[in-house]
Amino acid sequence: MSSDSNGDQNVPCSEEVKTKADEAKDAANKLFQARKYEAAIEKYSEAIVLNPSVAAYYANRSFAYIKTEAYGYAVADADSAVKIDPSYVKGYYRRAAANMALCKFKDALRDFRIVVKKAPGDKDARTRLSECEKIVRRIEFEKAIVVESTQKSLAETIDVTTITVDSSYDGPKFEDGKITKEFIEEMMEYFKNQKKIHRKYAIQVILAVRKIMLETPSLVDIKIPQDSKLTVCGDVHGQFYDFINIFNINGVPSETNMYLFNGDFVDRGSFSLEVILTLFAYKCLYPNSLYLTRGNHETDDMNKVYGFEGEVKAKYNDAMFELFSATFSTLPLAHLINQKILVVHGGLFSRDDVTLDDIRNIERFNKKQLDQGSLMCELLWSDPQSLPGRGPSKRGVGIQFGPDVTETFLKRNNLDLLIRSHEVKENGYVIDHNGKCITVFSAPNYCDTIGNKGAIINITPDLKLSYKTFEAVPHPNIRPMAYASQFGGLFTQ
């Protein structure tokens, strides 16, 4: 249920109806505490329908929407809360949190200032304000010092040969300057023990992948050989121990055990560096058997908020994050399996005439391609909906597309199926749109709170699909978003 169905907020109601509304709100609060956020949203909505003039109902539902990553709806509910009661501090706080999640830092800053002005004794709000101010200042500074496009980036100028490896380093090393299967296996064990590989090897892995990706089209064609299978994995979000459990369940990557990881490798989980270096190393070892799609979290703005930037800088340095940023912008946007199954991170488009050639021709290295309304933005951000047609995004970015939109797109492009990720699902996957749109999500117990299963899809050369689901496995006692500065707790309080 979207937050635009709020009714008339000024309609008076009886004491009996007010009591029923409060009962619905209390039930919603209990569901929220039990982390049953979708059910809580339904109950908050019930309270709002009964009594649409209570700011707290909207603010509470806004927080539940934040929990389900429906940030667009969360902003709308916070708007309603402060419209009903301009003095209601929590409404501004929720709107600030949702706008931070959307990387709308100036909008968030405006609301944090209001919160601090209305509640000067709130130390938490002051901390959030200070952090938000730092981000806004840094973005303005970065804009001011943008170098001319003719000047080469660090990724193009760094000289790895000048970096020496100390004799005390006991981790995995390249053999004759090459990434081997043994190197990757040793690296994964090293990561499991919470150690980091030498920065020289990390840089070499990143640069090697970037070189491959610069020569890769925006839409990659995949042909599954007769003696092989392809496994499509959804978001893994820095949950390294769950990520390597996929290999325990389904086998490690090889020339015949092919993988396609469908975006959102990093952020939220606090072992994102380990995930992405493992994926990049396997991509170097098996360039024609392991594939990587860019997700909406392989972007600078998201990495600032959700932890990856902080993690890389904590474990290595600023320059290392710059290299990752330069490499993320080279990742392809879609994969076409045996000419019949399209795999994208988010979803479809705001218009019906988009062809596969349009996707192939996206100039993905241009950051303006990420702007709202662009094909690239919609590929990374859109979500399916059950109703026909299109609707505004619950996230505040991209669109929502119905079964008729999927059907039209598939017919136009002579395709059988759309596979996408981008959304947590209770059982790890969901089949929508009359079997034509499948969502797969591979981070079980997402953020250590949701309790969902993870899933993967095995695809045979004759395009038969089978699903494997799995539970979360234990990991070291480091909370999700541990490197997300002060905003790590913004979406949990």
Side-chain angles (χ1 to χ4, degrees):
M1 181 181 294
S2 76
S3 61
D4 56 4
S5 56
N6 294 335
D8 188 341
Q9 295 167 354
N10 297 314
V11 172
C13 56
S14 67
E15 290 303 316
E16 181 183 356
V17 171
K18 288 180 181 178
T19 298
K20 285 184 178 179
D22 269 342
E23 288 172 352
K25 180 262 296 180
D26 290 342
N29 287 348
K30 288 178 181 177
L31 288 165
F32 187 96
Q33 291 301 321
R35 299 174 179 172
K36 297 179 179 178
Y37 303 119
E38 295 287 357
I41 287 167
E42 290 299 319
K43 276 294 179 183
Y44 287 131
S45 299
E46 185 181 317
I48 287 167
V49 169
L50 288 166
N51 187 0
S53 59
V54 180
Y57 296 171
Y58 296 94
N60 287 2
R61 190 171 69 173
S62 178
F63 195 16
Y65 277 133
I66 287 171
K67 286 292 193 178
T68 61
E69 301 184 18
Y71 302 121
Y73 289 174
V75 169
D77 268 356
D79 284 342
S80 295
V82 299
K83 182 180 178 183
I84 292 168
D85 183 358
S87 67
Y88 188 59
V89 174
K90 194 170 284 188
Y92 296 102
Y93 194 94
R94 296 289 177 245
R95 191 165 65 185
N99 275 318
M100 280 299 302
L102 290 167
C103 301
K104 295 181 177 178
F105 304 116
K106 288 186 177 179
D107 290 340
L109 180 60
R110 189 182 312 119
D111 278 332
F112 280 129
R113 284 173 174 161
I114 292 171
V115 172
V116 168
K117 184 176 180 181
K118 291 181 177 294
D122 189 332
K123 291 182 180 179
D124 178 73
R126 284 189 172 280
T127 301
R128 307 295 190 206
L129 172 62
S130 175
E131 286 296 316
C132 194
E133 285 174 336
K134 287 178 186 176
I135 290 175
V136 170
R137 282 198 301 268
R138 186 173 54 157
I139 290 171
E140 292 302 316
F141 175 72
E142 288 169 355
K143 284 181 181 176
I145 63 168
V146 167
V147 295
E148 294 297 323
S149 59
T150 54
Q151 188 169 332
K152 292 184 177 180
S153 70
L154 177 63
E156 297 170 299
T157 59
I158 191 168
D159 184 359
V160 184
T161 62
T162 64
I163 303 172
T164 57
V165 179
D166 299 335
S167 58
S168 60
Y169 174 68
D170 65 350
K173 299 173 183 175
F174 283 9
E175 291 181 19
D176 298 323
K178 294 181 180 179
I179 298 170
T180 61
K181 181 181 177 184
E182 291 72 26
F183 170 84
I184 298 175
E185 289 172 349
E186 190 179 343
M187 181 177 71
M188 285 194 289
E189 281 298 315
Y190 211 62
F191 287 159
K192 281 166 66 176
N193 294 319
Q194 294 181 263
K195 297 180 179 181
K196 62 182 183 182
I197 62 171
H198 195 278
R199 67 185 181 92
K200 178 172 184 173
Y201 302 124
I203 291 169
Q204 286 178 294
V205 168
I206 298 167
L207 294 179
V209 164
R210 184 172 182 274
K211 185 175 185 295
I212 293 170
M213 295 306 184
L214 283 170
E215 299 167 359
T216 300
S218 292
L219 172 60
V220 179
D221 287 284
I222 300 175
K223 175 71 174 174
I224 308 175
Q226 282 304 312
D227 61 344
S228 304
K229 73 172 181 185
L230 173 68
T231 300
V232 179
C233 303
D235 308 32
V236 291
H237 272 301
Q239 296 184 195
F240 177 72
Y241 297 84
D242 294 312
F243 160 72
I244 56 175
N245 188 45
I246 293 172
F247 299 150
N248 294 333
I249 293 166
N250 196 62
V252 296
S254 71
E255 291 178 350
T256 56
N257 195 32
M258 304 165 69
Y259 277 91
L260 166 52
F261 283 87
N262 195 29
D264 283 11
F265 323 117
V266 301
D267 279 338
R268 293 197 179 272
S270 294
F271 304 95
S272 293
L273 185 73
E274 290 79 1
V275 168
I276 195 64
L277 284 175
T278 301
L279 284 173
F280 278 4
Y282 268 126
K283 178 63 182 175
C284 294
L285 185 62
Y286 302 119
N288 300 313
S289 300
L290 186 129
Y291 299 90
L292 304 172
T293 314
R294 188 176 187 179
N296 64 302
H297 277 266
E298 279 70 58
T299 53
D300 288 353
D301 282 350
M302 300 300 278
N303 296 159
K304 279 179 172 60
V305 174
Y306 291 96
F308 183 61
E309 180 178 351
E311 180 182 345
V312 174
K313 290 180 177 181
K315 293 178 180 178
Y316 287 103
N317 53 31
D318 290 19
M320 189 73 79
F321 178 73
E322 187 179 336
L323 293 176
F324 275 116
S325 174
T327 304
F328 285 166
S329 68
T330 67
L331 294 173
L333 307 176
H335 291 81
L336 182 60
I337 303 170
N338 287 18
Q339 298 297 311
K340 285 297 180 182
I341 300 175
L342 182 69
V343 185
V344 303
H345 178 71
L348 298 181
F349 311 100
S350 51
R351 57 179 223 254
D352 279 333
D353 60 349
V354 177
T355 65
L356 294 180
D357 281 342
D358 290 329
I359 299 173
R360 284 192 181 94
N361 293 329
I362 294 173
E363 297 177 8
R364 68 185 189 275
F365 308 127
N366 182 348
K367 284 192 175 183
K368 286 193 173 181
Q369 295 298 321
L370 280 167
D371 290 348
Q372 175 76 357
S374 69
L375 296 184
M376 182 167 161
C377 175
E378 290 171 352
L379 279 169
L380 268 56
W381 280 95
S382 293
D383 295 293
Q385 63 180 23
S386 57
L387 295 174
R390 295 175 173 87
S393 170
K394 62 187 179 184
R395 300 175 188 270
V397 188
I399 64 155
Q400 292 184 190
F401 59 98
D404 54 329
V405 176
T406 299
E407 185 75 23
T408 298
F409 176 82
L410 294 178
K411 280 185 178 177
R412 173 178 288 274
N413 292 285
N414 194 26
L415 300 172
D416 292 340
L417 181 65
L418 174 71
I419 296 178
R420 41 89 63 183
S421 302
H422 194 40
E423 288 182 287
V424 61
K425 297 297 179 184
E426 184 178 358
N427 201 41
Y429 73 97
V430 163
I431 303 172
D432 286 316
H433 294 184
N434 305 310
K436 299 293 187 180
C437 177
I438 299 173
T439 299
V440 59
F441 191 86
S442 304
N445 194 24
Y446 183 42
C447 295
D448 288 355
T449 60
I450 303 300
N452 61 291
K453 291 181 181 178
I456 55 178
I457 306 174
N458 292 146
I459 306 178
T460 57
D462 59 353
L463 298 185
K464 295 280 195 315
L465 275 61
S466 60
Y467 304 86
K468 291 181 181 178
T469 62
F470 49 95
E471 304 282 354
V473 297
H475 65 75
N477 188 24
I478 300 176
R479 62 178 175 80
M481 294 180 68
Y483 299 94
S485 189
Q486 294 295 335
F487 286 104
L490 186 59
F491 312 116
T492 59
Q493 295 179 359

